[in-house]
């Protein structure tokens, strides 16, 4: 991308540090290039000591003016593995007061009444923070939006499921931050009645849960879900994470026992137990669960039924090659290709589908190898199908996009999280270049960022709302191709090498395509599908009936278990 665009006059102006009053005390921010920035404002008390693993409580009020010039502490989290750290940045700020947020505003005063964008970061509910430089809110503020980014508890601290404390404390943190925004944002120039809640990956899953939550009704006007659908994890899947950690720590699987464990030891144990969790491999992982309170029922079903978030405009979508960030860093892409039909059988078990699904994908994409078929199947099962379902239930107020520009980093394609630097217009940062490569197109950032600004401001990003024709705005497609068109996948060399002067579509590389994924998604609901095979358990007998696959290949349970063991070797994948 091009160098950062700033206003030289604003940069030279020596504005005094802005001071704004909040319900708990005054904060002093910084004037940066004509934007007032407040970092590290507490919206809840430190979640440690007697408050550890408990729902958030209000912060203690303070006297005088609190400095808000630097990012506040980040919640406890393990670092990314070396394989993922070369692509993803995750700064750590030490300290206990980690339930904090940041505000960028062009006009800090109660009379401005500007639209507000609240951002929830991704990271599989185990990593990430609001301090990631890619999430810098200055360009949204430059374009007339009050931008807020939020830290919330992660991993076992935020999403461990225990018998002696309420579930989903991390989601409750996010709700507390939304309530802070509703109560406080007017003083920063925002309009509490024009709040858009946005997130990517785990952040988007959180957005889906919150717009469906009865306790959040009235706090959110619009929502953006990037590469993450509304969903509730299986309670037993989350319990298994906690129980495995408890076994290693030799303690009871209770919040009281976990609260007595040293934080660093807890993080090391969590990282070790969770290293095999991924969208492709499945397995135990942390997630939002139905709790009968904040999440009384499955969020997607509540939104589809129309019981939640009436009148909430939605902007939602995905990247063309989501799975490549899950597979490329750990070398799993090559392993899946080597396993071939066995890997496809594993994908059938992972996605609970019959053999007609991978057979249909191969027919639609005859040039695709096993890794691409597996990756797209898992992406459709976990992400595109539920987002299609959500848009189908809310025609006229849902807008769908696909990000198709392939990274200049080898093998990544249009992978998970790649769109973030374009949405935030932060391609000038080294942290964005880690994933996108150098000199990504600024016109594409202009097109995507401006669409998000229009949606936050008006509810219309600039293309047709979802209807029976399934319009999808594709950003960054290579000229002469269209999203989902057979034979135009991002795995081929001509598409993969984005830096070789390949032309892009006009209008900043964006255009509308109708029904680009319909053929693939129709495979999942074909009436001829057989009963889905169940994933084999370690105790399954070797006489378990084999599962047929396309081309007559037979996958036996013992062979599938062997394939999964090979895929789950150290250096496996994680989900951003």
């Amino acid at each position: 991308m091009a160098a950062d665009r700033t206003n030289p006059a604003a940069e030279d102006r020596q504005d005094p540090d802005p001071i704004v009053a909040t319900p708990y005390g005054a904060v002093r921010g910084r004037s940066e290039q004509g934007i007032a920035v407040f970092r590290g404002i507490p919206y809840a008390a430190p979640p440690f000591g007697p408050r550890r693993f408990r729902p958030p409580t209000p912060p203690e009020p303070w006297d005088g003016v609190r400095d808000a010039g630097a990012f506040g502490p980040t919640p406890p989290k393990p670092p990314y593995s070396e394989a993922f750290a070369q692509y993803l940045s995750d700064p750590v700020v030490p300290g206990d007061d980690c339930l904090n947020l940041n505000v960028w505003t062009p006009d800090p005063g109660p009379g401005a009444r500007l639209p507000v964008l609240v951002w929830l970061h991704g990271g599989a509910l185990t990593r990430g923070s609001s301090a990631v430089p890619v999430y810098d809110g200055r360009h949204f503020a430059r374009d007339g939006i009050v931008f807020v980014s939020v830290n919330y508890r992660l991993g076992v601290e935020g999403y461990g499921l225990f018998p002696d404390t309420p579930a989903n404390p991390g989601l409750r943190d996010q709700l507390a931050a939304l309530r802070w925004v509703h109560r406080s944002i007017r003083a920063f120039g925002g309009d509490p009645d024009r709040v858009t809640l946005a997130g990517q990956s785990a952040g988007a899953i959180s957005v889906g849960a919150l717009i469906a939550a009865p306790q959040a009704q009235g706090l959110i006007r619009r929502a953006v879900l990037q590469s993450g659908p509304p969903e509730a994890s299986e309670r037993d899947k989350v319990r298994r994470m906690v129980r495995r950690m408890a076994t290693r720590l030799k303690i009871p699987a209770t919040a009281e026992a976990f609260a007595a464990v040293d934080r660093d030891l807890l993080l090391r144990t969590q990282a070790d137990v969770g290293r095999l969790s991924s969208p492709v491999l499945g397995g135990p992982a942390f997630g939002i669960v139905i709790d009968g309170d904040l999440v009384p029922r499955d969020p997607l079903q509540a939104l589809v039924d129309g019981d939640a978030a009436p009148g909430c405009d939605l902007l939602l979508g995905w990247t063309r090659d989501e799975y490549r960030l899950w597979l490329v860093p750990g070398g799993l892409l090559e392993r899946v290709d080597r396993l071939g039909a066995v890997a496809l059988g594993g994908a059938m078990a992972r996605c609970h589908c019959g053999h007609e699904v991978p057979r249909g994908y191969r027919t639609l994409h005859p040039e695709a190898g096993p890794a691409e078929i597996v990756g797209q199947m898992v992406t459709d099962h976990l992400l595109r199908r539920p987002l299609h379902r959500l848009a189908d239930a809310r025609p006229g107020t849902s807008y769908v996009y696909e990000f198709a520009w392939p990274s200049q980093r080898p093998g990544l394609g249009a992978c998970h999280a790649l769109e973030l630097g374009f949405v935030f217009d932060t391609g000038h940062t080294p942290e964005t270049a880690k994933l996108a490569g150098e000199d990504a197109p600024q016109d594409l950032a202009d097109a995507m960022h401006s669409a998000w600004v229009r949606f936050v401001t008006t509810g219309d990003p600039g293309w047709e709302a979802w209807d029976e024709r399934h319009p999808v705005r594709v950003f960054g497609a290579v000229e002469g191709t269209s999203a989902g068109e057979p034979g135009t996948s991002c795995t081929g060399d001509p598409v993969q090498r984005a830096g070789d002067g390949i032309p892009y579509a006009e209008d900043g590389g964006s255009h509308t395509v109708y029904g680009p994924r319909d053929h693939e998604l129709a495979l999942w609901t074909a009436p001829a599908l057989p009963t889905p095979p169940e994933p084999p358990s370690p105790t399954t007998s070797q006489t378990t009936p084999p599962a047929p696959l396309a081309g007559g290949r037979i996958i036996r349970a013992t062979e599938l278990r062997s394939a999964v063991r090979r895929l789950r070797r150290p250096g496996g994948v994680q989900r951003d």
Side-chain angles (χ1 to χ4, degrees):
M1 294 181 190
D4 186 21
R5 297 170 295 156
T6 59
N7 183 336
E11 195 169 356
D12 294 338
R13 191 171 61 224
Q14 298 298 314
D15 290 337
D17 290 340
I19 297 176
V20 170
T22 79
Y24 304 103
V27 291
R28 177 185 288 108
R30 299 291 185 272
S31 182
E32 301 175 0
Q33 301 171 1
I35 302 299
V37 186
F38 303 81
R39 298 180 175 93
I41 304 173
Y43 66 84
F48 300 108
R51 292 184 289 265
R52 199 172 184 193
F53 296 103
R54 308 296 302 178
T57 59
E60 289 290 330
W62 58 87
D63 296 325
V65 179
R66 180 181 181 125
D67 186 69
F71 286 113
T74 51
K77 56 187 175 177
Y80 280 116
S81 68
E82 184 177 343
F84 280 82
Q86 65 177 309
Y87 300 109
L88 303 172
S89 297
D90 197 9
V92 173
V93 181
D96 285 356
D97 210 356
C98 61
L99 299 186
N100 58 69
L101 50 76
N102 318 295
V103 181
W104 282 258
T105 176
D107 190 357
R113 305 284 291 190
L114 298 171
V116 179
L117 175 59
V118 178
W119 177 256
L120 303 178
H121 66 81
L125 299 178
T126 58
R127 294 173 175 86
S129 79
S130 64
V132 174
V134 177
Y135 305 145
D136 191 308
R138 77 176 77 173
H139 296 128
F140 280 106
R142 174 199 66 195
D143 294 328
I145 291 169
V146 178
F147 181 86
V148 181
S149 57
V150 178
N151 279 340
Y152 54 94
R153 278 174 285 181
L154 302 168
V156 71
E157 302 271 0
Y159 296 92
L161 188 56
F162 300 100
D164 53 338
T165 189
N168 301 315
L171 190 69
R172 295 173 193 274
D173 294 342
Q174 297 166 3
L175 177 61
L178 274 174
R179 287 172 169 163
W180 184 96
V181 168
H182 191 74
R183 185 179 179 189
S184 311
I185 205 64
R186 184 176 282 110
F188 292 85
D191 185 346
D193 296 323
R194 300 171 68 195
V195 172
T196 298
L197 183 63
Q200 184 267 346
S201 192
I205 293 171
S206 301
V207 170
L210 287 168
I211 59 176
Q215 297 179 34
Q217 301 308 300
L219 301 179
I220 305 163
R221 177 64 185 86
R222 301 184 178 101
V224 181
L225 292 85
Q226 299 175 214
S227 301
E231 68 178 25
S233 296
E234 298 174 20
R235 292 176 67 91
D236 189 58
K237 190 174 184 179
V238 179
R239 280 198 191 100
R240 288 203 304 273
M241 277 291 289
V242 173
R243 288 170 180 164
R244 290 182 184 183
M245 290 181 65
T247 298
R248 298 209 178 193
L249 293 166
K250 297 181 172 59
I251 61 173
T254 65
E256 181 181 11
F258 271 63
V261 177
D262 174 76
R263 282 186 226 170
D264 290 338
L265 175 59
L266 203 60
L267 288 176
R268 290 195 301 271
T269 305
Q270 175 185 301
D272 190 40
V273 170
R275 67 187 177 87
L276 300 180
S277 300
S278 80
V280 176
L281 299 178
F286 292 111
I288 296 165
V289 298
I290 296 173
D291 57 19
D293 174 23
L294 181 56
V295 188
R297 58 182 301 208
D298 179 77
L300 178 59
Q301 192 62 53
L303 291 166
V304 167
D305 290 346
D307 298 340
C312 182
D313 302 319
L314 300 177
L315 173 59
L316 47 110
W318 49 77
T319 70
R320 181 176 290 183
D321 303 305
E322 299 273 2
Y323 67 96
R324 287 185 164 265
L325 186 64
W326 309 333
L327 298 184
V328 169
L332 199 57
L333 194 76
E334 293 79 8
R335 296 187 210 173
V336 171
D337 269 332
R338 286 198 301 269
L339 287 169
V342 175
L344 291 171
M348 289 165 53
R350 175 74 182 93
C351 299
H352 307 289
C353 68
H355 62 278
E356 283 87 352
V357 174
R359 180 182 295 164
Y361 276 72
R362 187 171 291 286
T363 299
L364 290 170
H365 303 280
E367 80 297 338
E372 183 178 3
I373 297 294
V374 168
Q376 295 292 4
M377 279 178 58
V378 172
T379 301
D380 285 349
H381 171 66
L382 295 178
L383 201 156
R384 294 190 185 111
R385 289 183 67 205
L387 288 179
H388 257 248
R389 187 179 168 204
L390 179 58
D392 282 341
R394 291 172 174 252
T397 59
S398 298
Y399 298 86
V400 179
Y401 74 90
E402 175 168 296
F403 183 80
W405 183 82
S407 170
Q408 298 178 75
R409 299 292 304 273
L412 288 181
C415 69
H416 192 66
L418 182 60
E419 88 283 8
L420 289 169
F422 296 85
V423 168
F424 280 82
D425 193 11
T426 51
H428 59 283
T429 64
E431 291 77 12
T432 295
K434 288 175 70 173
L435 194 62
E438 301 291 339
D439 300 320
Q442 180 63 47
D443 61 346
L444 181 56
D446 292 342
M448 205 163 192
H449 176 75
S450 63
W452 264 241
V453 168
R454 284 193 296 269
F455 179 76
V456 173
T457 304
T458 69
D460 181 352
W463 64 88
E464 298 162 87
W466 190 259
D467 58 22
E468 67 279 355
R469 299 170 301 157
H470 294 180
V472 176
R473 192 69 169 179
V474 180
F475 290 92
V478 176
E479 191 174 273
T481 71
S482 61
E485 179 182 278
T488 63
S489 101
C490 284
T491 57
D493 285 343
V495 179
Q496 203 56 243
R497 293 195 297 269
D500 290 346
I502 296 171
Y504 291 88
E506 296 179 359
D507 190 21
S510 65
H511 61 283
T512 299
V513 178
Y514 297 89
R517 300 284 171 181
D518 286 3
H519 292 300
E520 291 87 346
L521 298 183
L523 297 169
W524 299 83
T525 55
L529 285 177
T531 302
E534 290 294 328
S537 68
T539 58
T540 301
S541 166
Q542 293 190 13
T543 61
T544 300
L549 192 64
R553 178 77 167 90
I554 298 297
I555 307 300
R556 300 186 181 278
T558 52
E559 191 176 10
L560 178 54
R561 288 200 301 274
S562 175
V564 171
R565 281 196 297 271
R566 277 182 277 169
L567 290 174
R568 286 183 169 179
R569 287 172 182 163
V573 300
Q574 304 167 12
R575 182 179 188 175
D576 177 45

